[in-house]
Amino acid sequence: MRVLLAGGAGYIGTHTAIALLEAGHEPVLLDDLSNTSDVVTDRIAEITGTRVPLITGDAADDEVVESAFDAHGPFDAIIHFAALKAVGESVAKPLEYYANNLDTTYALLRVGLARGIRSFVFSSTGTVYSDPADLPFTEEATRNLVELSNPYSKSKLMNEVALTDIQAVNPEVNVTLLRYFNPVGAHASGLVGEDPKGIPNNLMPFVARVAVGALPEIGIFGDDYDTPDGTGLRDYIHVVDLAEGHVAALEKAQPGLASYNLGTGNPVSVRGLIESFERAVGHELPKSVKPRRAGDLAATYCSPEKAERELGWKATRTIDDMTASVWNWQQKNPSGYAG
Ligand code: NAD
Ligand code: UDP
């Protein structure tokens, strides 16, 4: 399959491009490089022996998307990763988040549907679920726009609603909504990984920066939650498992609308993740308990059973695999792609 990956030079897109190449498909990247580097195409070539084309431009611009089809089409499918994704920033910049995260979808669909794509895979998020009574979240769990705490998550749910209506009048097309839980980890080569700009907001890259000595200590945001060790529970998923989930979704795509949770279903606490990282590094890391972070849920984790049943996909990598791969990437690239 020939597949256009919008936002494909980012963290998850890069790993998905590698998984697609390994499965015999032909990915093409379209990215404005606002949150990544074109170095990733060198790294993908080093890993796979294939240089994937990269079109640099805005996926919200119909002309840019047209130019990708002209130069490298026709495409069988589009995977839409392109988005702004920082939850805290989305509260301060809602206009930018709604505009970018929705306009990209509209441009990709306007052009993609006119050019005959058969499948559209969308990067959604487990944060579309918000009611703790629904844990572990199945695909049918409550999704209520007004209960979501930030514009980023709302923009993802708004995309899901728009995509559902658009698929309904294009019944020959497959639309797959992939709800990722907490993607972490790096490719086994240590050549590609997560490279957040500035001080990381997310736990795993923050711990990695402390481990490499770039930050002084880990803050544990609350240890008085109603969880086994009092710290927050999350469903961390290795990015390589996640990437393989995209390949399965594309290969199994049928006309119609489908949604899948991509997670492990095994919740890990903040302390559990830090202990796993300490095993990878071989010594304790400096840490202290801080107040809870506003807007955090005590626990989010999914039931990944539908993806296993319908896509034949299941995450296989453990939390120790995830932390070891991040440590490998962080040591080899202490300054990310810039180093
Ligand atoms: P990322 O920032 O590494 O990748 C997104 C890519 O999109 C970046 O390379 C960025 O340069 C590009 N981009 C943004 N706006 C663009 C535009 N208008 N035109 C072209 N390119 C544009 O993020 P990621 O972690 O790889 O996330 C990929 C997708 O998965 C996003 O849609 C994100 O919302 C979603 N998601 C991520 C997580 C996570 O924790 N990483 C969790 C759930 C969902
Ligand atoms: N967390 C933490 N310290 C940090 C960053 C995050 O204790 O520096 C906690 C956070 O409160 C949550 C978990 O780690 O319980 C995962 O947070 P992250 O931001 O990685 O993911 P999200 O909350 O978006 O699921």
Side-chain angles (χ1 to χ4, degrees), residues 87 127 182 200-204 206 218-222 225 231-234 236 270 293 296-298 300:
V87 170
T127 64
N182 286 61
N201 293 310
N202 297 114
L203 181 62
M204 183 70 97
F206 197 99
I218 305 158
I220 296 172
F221 297 157
Y225 285 106
T231 67
L233 291 176
R234 293 291 182 273
Y236 299 98
V270 175
R293 184 171 65 180
D296 272 355
L297 296 178
T300 71

Side-chain angles (χ1 to χ4, degrees), residues 6-14 30-37 55-61 64 80-86 100-101 103-104 122-127 152 155-156 178-184 193-195 197 202 239 242 246:
Y11 170 48
I12 299 169
T14 303
L30 164 59
D31 202 297
D32 65 3
L33 304 181
S34 56
N35 198 35
T36 186
S37 158
I55 297 107
T56 305
D58 183 358
D61 181 340
V64 170
H80 179 15
F81 299 102
L84 299 174
K85 64 163 187 174
N100 192 58
N101 294 0
D103 289 347
T104 45
F122 178 68
S123 295
S124 190
T125 163
T127 64
Y152 166 73
S155 77
K156 290 292 177 179
L178 297 180
R179 299 184 183 132
Y180 313 156
F181 277 70
N182 286 61
V184 295
E194 190 175 11
D195 182 22
K197 293 201 164 80
N202 297 114
V239 68
L242 188 69
H246 290 72

